[in-house]
Amino acid sequence: MEDAKNAKEQLESLKELQNAAAGRVPALVSGLGDCICLAKVWLEFLQGKVCDEDYIIEEINLAKNGIHKSEMQLLLAKMELKRGETKKAEELLRKLAEYRPDLYSGREAAKILREIS
């Protein structure tokens, strides 16, 4: 929910869990690693740092879960806005607002479109 302080705390919790599971549950460690990568990108974005856009695009392309995919599309749109790529961002936001109006990402996309129009 775009709360950098809590995002950082949650990232640290994920890292601790990954360390604790390292010797006991290898399958969990792999999944946690993916979650940690994604959490790092989100945190970097929230902190105004340069983010790994290619990673987010890969997440979008590989996502099988519609909610996860739409959240990644929203993040990518916000990254585009931050870089001044308004047309690219608007295209992503319109798609989200039209196809996922029932989800947070769709509602947020519609809200951002109203703000930038």
Side-chain angles (χ1 to χ4, degrees):
M1 301 303 262
E2 300 190 35
D3 180 349
K5 180 180 182 255
N6 285 326
K8 188 172 184 173
E9 290 172 6
Q10 293 302 315
L11 177 58
E12 293 306 316
S13 293
L14 284 172
K15 288 178 182 178
E16 289 173 14
L17 184 58
Q18 184 183 37
N19 288 336
R24 297 181 284 177
V25 192
L28 178 62
V29 173
S30 175
L32 284 171
D34 294 339
C35 290
I36 289 169
C37 284
L38 185 55
K40 283 180 183 177
V41 173
W42 260 110
L43 184 56
E44 288 168 352
F45 174 77
L46 293 174
Q47 293 173 332
K49 297 177 181 175
V50 175
C51 302
D52 186 354
E53 187 175 314
D54 291 336
Y55 176 76
I56 298 304
I57 292 169
E58 183 179 352
E59 281 289 309
I60 291 168
N61 292 333
L62 295 175
K64 294 191 184 344
N65 179 294
I67 294 171
H68 177 68
K69 183 173 188 161
S70 69
E71 289 174 354
M72 295 303 93
Q73 290 169 322
L74 179 61
L75 175 57
L76 182 60
K78 289 181 176 188
M79 288 175 167
E80 297 289 6
L81 277 176
K82 194 175 263 190
R83 287 193 356 243
E85 297 288 342
T86 308
K87 289 193 184 263
K88 288 181 182 179
E90 285 178 343
E91 184 179 326
L92 289 165
L93 292 168
R94 275 195 195 90
K95 286 179 185 177
L96 270 174
E98 290 172 12
Y99 298 116
R100 291 299 188 169
D102 54 325
L103 297 177
Y104 166 79
S105 55
R107 292 189 305 272
E108 184 70 10
K111 177 183 157 197
I112 293 169
L113 281 169
R114 286 190 301 273
E115 291 172 356
I116 63 176
S117 296

